[in-house]
Amino acid sequence: MNWFTSLLTSTLGRKMIMALTGLFLVLFLVIHLIGNLQLLKSDGGNAFNVYAQFMGHNPLIQTVSIGNFAFILIHAIWALLLTLHNRRSRGEVGYAVSNNSSAWMSRSMGILGTLILIFLIVHLQGFWFQMKFGNVPFVTVDGKDVKDLYTVVDAAYQNIGFVALYVFSMCALGFHLWHGFASAFQTLGLNHLKYNPIIRFVGRAYAIIVPALFAIIPIWMYLN
Amino acid sequence: MKINLKIWRQKNKDTKGSFKSYALDNVSTDMSFLEMLDVLNHDLIHKGEESVAFDHDCREGICGMCSLYINGRPHGPQQTTTCQLHMRSFKDGETIVIEPWRAKAFPVIRDLVVDRTAFDRIQQAGGYVSVNTGGVPDANEIAISKKIADEAFDSAACIGCGACVAACKNASAMLFVSAKVSQLALLPQGKPERKERVEKMVAQMDAEDFGACTNTGACEAECPKGISLTNIARMNREYFSAITTSYEIELKGGD
Amino acid sequence: MDTARVPIKKINRQMKLDSKIPEGPLAEKWTKHKFNLKLVNPANKRKFDVIVVGTGLAGASAAASLGELGYNVKAFCFQDSPRRAHSIAAQGGINAAKNYQNDGDSVYRLFYDTIKGGDYRAREGNVYRLAEVSVNIIDQCVAQGVPFAREYGGLLANRSFGGAQVSRTFYARGQTGQQLLLGAYSALNRQIANGKVTMYTRSEMLDVVLVDGKARGIVTRDLVTGKIESHAAHAVLICTGGYGNVFFLSTNAKGSNVTAAWRAHKKGALFGNPCYTQIHPTCIPVSGDHQSKLTLMSESLRNDGRVWVPKTARPGLKAKDAANIPEADRDYFLERKYPSFGNLVPRDVASRNAKQMCDEGRGVGSGLAVFLDFSDAIKRDGKKTIEAKYGNLFDMYQQITGDNPYEMPMMIYPAVHYTMGGLWVDYNLMTTVPGLYALGEANFSDHGANRLGASALMQGLADGYFVIPYTLGDYLAGLSPEKVTTDRPEFKEAIDKVNGTINKFLSIKGKRTVDEFHRELGLTMWEFCGMARNEEGLKGAKKKIQALKEAFWKDVNVLGGSQELNQELEKAMRVADFMELGELMVDDALNRSESCGGHFREESQTPDGEALRKDDEFAYVAAWEYKGENQQEVLHKETLVFENVKLTQRSYK
């Protein structure tokens, strides 16, 4: 095996892939959030629709988004492979009684991740797929015709079940990030007694603020 | 006090095991957990039943030989070794479930005894400084900052009991491996072989079928010697930098 | 038993014990000797096989060093890994005459302190060599990555230990033994990876095999499968530690045993000074009949703790009620009797006095304990200071006893800790059987009648790293490098004998457990061959042990089979050897009617109750020869020659 394959197949290498893809997705969430926050502007959705148009047509964003999908897939598939490997490592007979002394979210990254994946499918089907291939009416903003995604979103967020699903999924995302953010740094070896508290603080703040802002949007739109 | 025990019994590695229940009536709160098992074994032998096999040696918390997964936690309810656990940590009438360490890399030999030689093989892969006896520099030749020496000691305090593997939901041995990698990466004496060491030890760890770390921190929480997760981060760092920068030099002989 | 009637002092004059101490001035002996030792040709080294039994400090360091030299080594340990050996439990530190502190230490001073500390019952030549190589040990360990304590400037720290007047003890917090063992273990691992050492874990040595009078191999039992195996080699090294567990309760690990050394003894290796045992004063007292082992706390506790008992007997006095005893009713007996040393008297003196108080009925708790009180120190220095010094010891104490030593005094009682006696060896560490060596605590050589603190680690590593690599070569150079094999009748004979013993145990099916016998043996040994011994008691003990041994072979109950992991069987075989050893210890204690070091004969004391040596009669090593089952062992004497030190009586008044 050359060094690259042994890196990718070692337990440490696999973890590294989880961490790198995870951190990329963390960055992506910020970009996504900035766009979504346009929904809160009381301009009848113009700003949001311009943003959606930009995201859907800018060649650089298009390239990055392919990467984004790839990273989501890799993150999920590698997680599955690792989980299967780790299950096997316990051996055929497991414990009858277990009082694991780790935090619940640290132990439940697989479940949380699966919930997020299910949410992603619903989410993409509802908006991204509509935007790309669906029949979204056009509106004119600043003299340009753009797809009126705002109306699609607004309509969706009038459904209380849909809003609940969003809020619930953002909770899952929050827990996932609560562990995942700092964990990625730990896995990459970016750990230093001096900076660990900052990483942990930023990670936890991120895990609360970003999902909370995501979740506020549907609630706000539902109430208005 | 009275206690009820549910203990894993297994004849050998090839047979299937199961739980057996026992009751003990006269348990003193001053007994250590292992002394309680001694009493049980004494009773069993008098009843003509074979005693429960379990690993133990120094009984003062340093050799790392004792194990036992007690009520769902390695070394029981306190962050100490089983030999230092005392019965006063349990309630009168309590049922205590005792299982062996569970990991594919730690097969059960008998009852509560498991085979931990995988740990030795990982150490053999590179957990040393390649110096022969004699011909070394004076001990004070290289000054080492006290902070570094203390940190290296913290890592070197690992007793190799395997509680980290037992506690980890992934049966990962990274805390154990990283403790040795860290000790020798921190000290100047370990520097010449730093890269090869971490590559070889990680490769051996993977070959032994231990799981991958998911940073849950259960190992650190259960480690009787308080080995820190920082070691794992250091090992990760050492490993990535080693594998991306190390190279082989081909020897042609002829000397 | 008719053997009791054989007079003990019958001396076999035919065997001449040659210590092989080189001629010449003390400081040149080892250098000269090293030059005179024969060397094995580098190309021939790979043709020699060496067996190392035990992988503690002595065994692991020897196996690694011999592997490095090119010999083929097979190493054996009964634990699941070489890293578990009981050397790991040593707390305090390791002495070395580095004189890094500029406080007047030197090789000669370490030599002198060790000889004096051993109460003038060790060989000058051996002890000097030990002090000489002590400096190399520290260098070696540091090079291996042992994280010794350091000063802020980055250089090694030292402390004064065990009443020494210079700071020569190197340490790694309270876990020096662990760190040194892990260092030796790592060197061993390197040789295992190199293929020069083959490691056999969970394997117990059950016999030495002699071919034509030379040690040529061993018989072992694989403790997992129960398989009896034989291994051949050109030399066998016994590095299996001490025999403190003959007392059942000791600070030794539960598995520590005398079996390997004892089987070697039965094959012709003389046993030296078996009665020399060290009793450590600061151990946690026995808490009940369930007690399985005793825990030692560093004797540094006596630097600040004051030892006392009530002036009048207060049976059952608990630690939490100690505060109710007014100052005037307390007897700080060490301070009273030894005003200049106070609580810091040597281990044997402190231990004996604690026993004396308890014998007078003034013991506290169960009656077998004295108080070690920190209340004055806490008042004087503050809790913070005491916590910084002894925090982990206090925690350990509380963990085990449930009492909080910050609020009430500790209870302590002496416990067996180390055995100075062991297989007799010459200067080359060879026993009286050619090709059979003993290293570390398993031999008798360097500590005389009492071992100084922080010297056990030093001796184990000195033997393994710096003595045996030279001296073994001298023996092997005289042998033909032809392969030795196990297809000799002697091997089959030994295997059959071991199998016979195992089958015997499994067929007795008696009524008592192995531990019950072991406990009884321990009680007898502790009572009559423990801290204080007298002729009457020892004679009675001998009879008791013989009777117990007989009962053991008739009434022990060992369940399970031979072809499986059978911990009861393992114990039974060890206890059988302890029984025989116990009897020999009693013989030796009976023979040595002087008091010296750890051996206190009540008949031999000064008017004020201190140990009285008899140098004109007993300045010799008592080496015992095995004569067969139930036969009286025969005493051989190796006279100790003192050319450099003057023998004086110790005084701590």
Side-chain angles (χ1 to χ4, degrees), chain C residues 606-635:
Chain C
T606 60
D608 43 4
E610 298 304 322
L612 180 67
R613 261 192 354 254
K614 296 179 187 165
D615 291 329
D616 43 349
E617 261 184 275
F618 288 103
Y620 64 78
V621 176
W624 296 86
E625 185 188 359
Y626 184 78
K627 283 290 184 190
E629 292 292 327
N630 297 324
Q631 298 295 307
Q632 176 61 48
E633 298 220 2
V634 171
L635 173 67

Side-chain angles (χ1 to χ4, degrees), chain C residues 247 355 359 368 413 520-534 537-538 541 544 602:
Chain C
F247 292 90
K355 175 181 162 37
D359 288 349
L368 290 177
Y413 199 65
E520 194 175 333
L521 172 70
L523 279 175
T524 306
M525 293 301 294
W526 180 243
E527 185 66 27
F528 302 106
C529 198
M531 276 185 281
R533 300 134 181 209
N534 63 54
L538 288 166
K544 278 187 184 185
E602 288 167 356

Side-chain angles (χ1 to χ4, degrees), chain C residues 164-175:
Chain C
Q165 288 176 310
V166 290
S167 289
R168 63 159 76 99
T169 304
F170 294 79
Y171 60 100
R173 294 194 202 152
Q175 285 146 260

